[in-house]
Amino acid sequence: MANDKDFVVAGAVEVGKDTKVTVGSIGSSTVTDISGYNLGVASYQSKSLDLSGQMTGANGLYFKEDGLSLYVASGSGDSIYQYSLSTAWDVSTASYANKSVSVASQSTSPVEVLLSTTGTKMYVVDYLERVYQYTLSTGWDVSTATYDSVQLNTSSDPSGSLRGGDLKPDGTILYLVSESSPDSVYEYTMSTAFDLSTASYSSNSFNISAQSTTPTDVKFTIDGTKFYVLDTVDDKIWQFALSTAWDLSTASYES
């Protein structure tokens, strides 16, 4: 989630359909006013970014915490592309940074890209039940990424085909959303922060099938008390609350 007033609508439904990133305003909330993250007052700001110069199909995206860099996972080129924003969080000011990295040797169906808070670790979620870990020798510069030969295989867990994910800021929890029955968000814990080799399924999940039957992505607020699920067929974003931050077992739909 952006730590300013904008909620970025992203994933296969919006980015993949039109090869654009779009933004909607959700009031004047900030990190210290997390209650403002309410989709009930969202409106389109008429701002977008055309990605067609780099790709024909885009999936998940990730924003640097200062809102000045954007990273997009492309399913068409099996690559991660980097963009720079001259005005933080305003995608209409974004331009291609001429930086990318191919992940084709590992992922043939990348659906999500995530980065650590230092920008030195990158994670690529693959539709085929895998998550791959990379190191960036220069923080936040994807052109310096190399594969760590570390992957998380979720095929033995109930998560099924993966469509997106998110990281807890401290790097101890990875959340993955699956479109397999039942459509759910799944929780993986890392005993060593940001080290995917220490990740394991926590047996914690939340069934979202009553709302979304074709989930495309999941994103959490900065404090872990809300998360949002994007649906690729209904063209909707669903909002959920956690009574205990970051604990999926306490989640509920906020209607």
Side-chain angles (χ1 to χ4, degrees):
M1 290 299 300
N3 59 359
D4 204 337
K5 67 179 181 179
D6 294 333
F7 177 77
V8 179
V9 181
V13 53
E14 292 294 339
V15 180
K17 179 188 293 181
D18 300 320
T19 324
K20 292 183 178 180
V21 177
T22 56
V23 172
S25 172
I26 55 172
S28 58
S29 61
T30 65
V31 171
T32 57
D33 180 22
I34 205 70
S35 61
Y37 286 103
N38 181 8
L39 288 182
V41 296
S43 62
Y44 178 45
Q45 288 185 323
S46 299
K47 295 181 179 181
S48 63
L49 168 63
D50 189 344
L51 307 175
S52 60
Q54 291 74 52
M55 63 195 82
T56 57
N59 295 319
L61 60 78
Y62 179 89
F63 271 89
K64 187 181 177 183
E65 283 79 357
D66 61 7
L68 293 174
S69 294
L70 167 66
Y71 305 85
V72 180
S74 171
S76 58
D78 299 332
S79 296
I80 309 301
Y81 294 89
Q82 181 174 332
Y83 298 80
S84 298
L85 292 80
S86 56
T87 301
W89 306 111
D90 185 344
V91 294
S92 67
T93 70
S95 59
Y96 180 45
N98 291 312
K99 295 180 178 181
S100 66
V101 59
S102 173
V103 295
S105 295
Q106 294 80 44
S107 175
T108 56
S109 305
V111 294
E112 182 70 281
V113 58
L114 304 167
L115 282 87
S116 66
T117 50
T118 61
T120 56
K121 291 292 182 182
M122 182 178 76
Y123 310 87
V124 174
V125 180
D126 189 278
Y127 179 79
L128 300 176
E129 303 176 31
R130 300 287 193 279
V131 184
Y132 300 94
Q133 179 180 306
Y134 303 77
T135 293
L136 286 71
S137 57
T138 300
W140 305 107
D141 184 344
V142 296
S143 67
T144 69
T146 56
Y147 179 46
D148 285 345
S149 298
V150 173
Q151 65 170 280
L152 171 65
N153 185 338
T154 66
S155 60
S156 60
D157 305 322
S159 54
S161 301
L162 304 178
R163 293 307 306 266
D166 204 3
L167 273 172
K168 187 179 178 183
D170 67 3
T172 61
I173 304 178
L174 170 67
Y175 301 91
L176 298 172
V177 66
S178 169
E179 67 174 359
S180 300
S181 181
D183 305 290
S184 298
V185 179
Y186 296 88
E187 178 185 290
Y188 290 78
T189 56
M190 287 180 273
S191 55
T192 300
F194 299 110
D195 185 350
L196 204 59
S197 68
T198 68
S200 60
Y201 178 47
S202 69
S203 298
N204 219 4
S205 66
F206 183 72
N207 190 324
I208 57 173
S209 58
Q211 290 77 43
S212 175
T213 57
T214 46
T216 303
D217 208 349
V218 60
K219 288 291 178 282
F220 283 73
T221 54
I222 197 71
D223 69 344
T225 60
K226 293 181 187 293
F227 69 88
Y228 307 85
V229 173
L230 179 66
D231 190 286
T232 190
V233 170
D234 291 337
D235 291 352
K236 292 181 179 179
I237 304 170
W238 307 89
Q239 178 175 314
F240 303 82
L242 296 85
S243 57
T244 299
W246 306 109
D247 185 349
L248 275 181
S249 67
T250 69
S252 60
Y253 175 48
E254 289 203 304
S255 300

